[in-house]
């Protein structure tokens, strides 16, 4: 995690400081802001006699803190390196965490370390999936899948592009949504991190440190692999991606995960990626128009290009490509209309 120049009000800093005094005592260094994620959480690094810790600052009493604590327990129980929790006050929105360092997998890929890092990320993913049990995490059900898909017409098309779908477009869109949802629900169901990508994997000894896991659900087998391989911030050449898919399949089958045959899995992976990318187009637009966060806008054309590539082999998704062509999706500048 890298430095962040923004921060909460002074009164909140004082509250965090007082809480830390109770947890690790006086004589520590100042709170140093570090970059967080797209959510409302903030993070700080603090040094003390025993080393460094990370403080999560969330909305007091928010359910996400409880979810973060629960999903962290599940990851660690599966043998995955989620940060240790040293203290937590969910009612105050505060968690004291293990410091996983400052270098994420995106930085590692940029340094050419993918041959070392990707096998570790894929092994960690298989461990997480192999530990899955139904009824533990919320289901990635039809309602959630459709709610995510709904972000695309509302926030990307309407807000970002000023496009309202006519009856013909709506029919095509609903047909595509039905197909994507049905395919996702038909997949074997496992634990899903839901944002298992390079920026949420920290370079550690052995397996990656896994962060931002509070939105985990029980859902489609191919989802987290789609997130890792078709990333917002890193794109693999096709032969390299094929190699990682093969590595994942071998690891998954070795532990008995119910992975379908290769062709069916490739379709699951492509269709899951289309669903995720449609969601992200809407989500990134919403982050800008509703939340004032513009850092993700330059990535929008990349995701539209991903969707075109992933939908192209599958005739059932051709109505989506026709809709894209009619409205020039992916041809706009990052700034919108």
């Amino acid at each position: 995690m890298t430095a962040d120049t923004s921060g909460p009000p002074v009164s909140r800093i004082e509250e965090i400081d007082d809480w830390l005094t109770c947890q690790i005592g006086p004589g520590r260094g100042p709170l140093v802001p570090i970059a967080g994620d797209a959510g409302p959480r903030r993070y700080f690094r603090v040094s003390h006699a025993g080393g460094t810790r990370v403080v999560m600052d969330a909305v007091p009493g928010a359910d996400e803190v409880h979810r973060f604590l629960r999903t962290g327990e599940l990851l660690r129980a599966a043998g995955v390196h989620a940060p240790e929790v040293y203290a937590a006050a969910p009612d105050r929105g505060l968690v004291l965490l293990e410091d996983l360092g400052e270098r994420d997998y995106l930085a590692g890929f940029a340094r050419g370390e993918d041959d070392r890092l990707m096998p570790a990320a894929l092994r960690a993913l298989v461990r997480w999936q192999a530990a899955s049990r139904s009824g533990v995490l919320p289901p990635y059900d039809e309602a959630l899948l459709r709610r995510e898909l709904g972000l695309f017409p509302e926030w990307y098309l309407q807000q970002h592009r000023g496009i309202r779908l006519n009856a013909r477009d709506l029919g095509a869109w609903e047909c595509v949504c039905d197909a994507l949802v049905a395919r996702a629900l038909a997949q074997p169901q496992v634990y899903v991190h839901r944002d298992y990508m390079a920026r949420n994997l920290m370079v550690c000894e052995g397996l990656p440190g896994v962060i931002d896991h509070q939105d985990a659900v029980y859902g489609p087998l191919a989802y987290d692999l789609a997130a890792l391989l078709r990333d917002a911030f890193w794109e693999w050449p096709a032969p390299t991606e094929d190699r990682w898919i093969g590595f994942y399949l071998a690891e998954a089958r070795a532990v008995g995960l119910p992975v379908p045959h290769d062709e069916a899995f490739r379709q699951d992976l492509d269709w899951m990626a289309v669903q995720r990318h449609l969601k992200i187009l809407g989500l990134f637009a919403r982050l800008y128009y509703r939340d004032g966060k513009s850092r993700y806008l330059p990535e929008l054309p990349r995701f539209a290009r991903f969707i075109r590539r992933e939908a192209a082999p599958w005739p059932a998704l051709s109505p989506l490509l026709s809709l894209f062509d009619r409205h020039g999706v992916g041809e706009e500048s990052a700034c919108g209309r």
Side-chain angles (χ1 to χ4, degrees):
M1 294 183 179
T2 55
D4 186 2
T5 56
S6 60
V10 172
S11 58
R12 180 60 170 170
I13 289 289
E14 291 173 345
E15 181 180 358
I16 296 170
D17 215 40
D18 289 344
W19 183 72
L20 282 175
T21 297
C22 297
Q23 307 308 320
I24 57 178
R28 64 188 177 277
L31 293 171
V32 179
I34 52 180
D37 46 48
R41 296 164 298 280
R42 297 179 187 271
Y43 298 87
F44 300 88
R45 179 172 283 110
V46 59
S47 60
H48 64 105
T52 60
R53 297 284 185 264
V54 168
V55 182
M56 175 197 290
D57 171 26
V59 177
D63 182 57
E64 69 174 357
V65 178
H66 294 281
R67 288 189 279 112
F68 178 86
L69 297 173
R70 178 61 177 141
T71 53
E73 289 175 357
L74 291 172
L75 283 159
R76 290 187 293 275
V80 179
H81 187 182
E84 288 290 340
V85 175
Y86 299 116
D91 58 322
R92 302 175 71 176
L94 297 172
V95 184
L96 185 63
L97 297 163
E98 174 188 5
D99 186 357
L100 298 180
E102 300 187 40
R103 197 154 66 93
D104 61 25
Y105 265 45
L106 188 62
F109 293 161
R111 290 165 60 97
E113 299 175 9
D114 43 293
D115 280 343
R116 177 173 68 88
L117 298 179
M118 277 296 287
L122 294 167
R123 289 190 182 103
L125 175 57
V126 168
R127 284 191 185 186
W128 170 235
Q129 294 178 332
S132 302
R133 292 175 290 133
S134 64
V136 175
L137 289 172
Y140 210 162
D141 57 13
E142 179 173 356
L144 179 54
L145 287 162
R146 290 189 182 276
R147 195 157 61 244
E148 290 182 341
L149 286 166
L151 295 171
F152 173 75
E154 179 181 359
W155 289 97
Y156 176 82
L157 289 181
Q158 189 169 319
Q159 281 286 344
H160 186 61
R161 297 291 312 283
I163 295 168
R164 290 183 178 273
L165 298 182
N166 58 29
R168 175 191 177 191
D169 290 335
L170 281 172
W173 172 246
E174 289 168 5
C175 222
V176 167
C177 287
D178 288 346
L180 290 172
V181 169
R183 186 82 194 188
L185 294 176
Q187 289 186 39
Q189 303 290 288
V190 294
Y191 288 164
V192 177
H193 177 286
R194 216 158 147 217
D195 213 6
Y196 195 79
M197 62 177 190
R199 288 172 63 92
N200 288 331
L201 302 177
M202 307 303 294
V203 177
C204 298
E205 188 68 28
L207 298 181
V210 180
I211 62 174
D212 199 21
H213 47 70
Q214 65 283 335
D215 292 326
V217 290
Y218 186 71
L221 177 73
Y223 189 96
D224 278 346
L225 186 64
L228 180 63
L229 294 179
R230 283 87 184 267
D231 192 0
F233 305 100
W234 189 266
E235 186 172 355
W236 298 105
T240 305
E241 181 183 281
D242 287 344
R243 181 156 60 98
W244 299 137
I245 292 172
F247 186 96
Y248 166 81
L249 289 173
E251 293 285 319
R253 287 171 177 149
V255 300
L257 283 171
V259 181
H261 64 79
D262 289 8
E263 184 179 351
F265 184 75
R266 291 294 183 121
Q267 183 173 356
D268 286 343
L269 188 66
D270 278 350
W271 286 43
M272 202 73 260
V274 168
Q275 187 273 344
R276 176 175 164 80
H277 293 156
L278 287 166
K279 173 189 78 170
I280 290 176
L281 282 174
L283 181 61
F284 283 6
R286 187 177 71 180
L287 283 170
Y288 176 62
Y289 291 100
R290 190 191 71 181
D291 304 331
K293 298 182 179 182
S294 61
R295 63 183 287 198
Y296 301 102
L297 280 185
E299 304 301 329
L300 293 178
R302 178 205 294 262
F303 279 101
R305 179 165 50 84
F306 280 176
I307 292 169
R308 288 180 179 274
R309 180 190 68 187
E310 290 147 3
W314 311 110
L317 299 182
S318 61
L320 178 64
L321 298 181
S322 298
L323 188 152
F324 273 36
D325 290 339
R326 284 196 294 277
H327 296 291
V329 172
E331 299 172 6
E332 81 285 3
S333 70
C335 296
R337 303 177 219 178

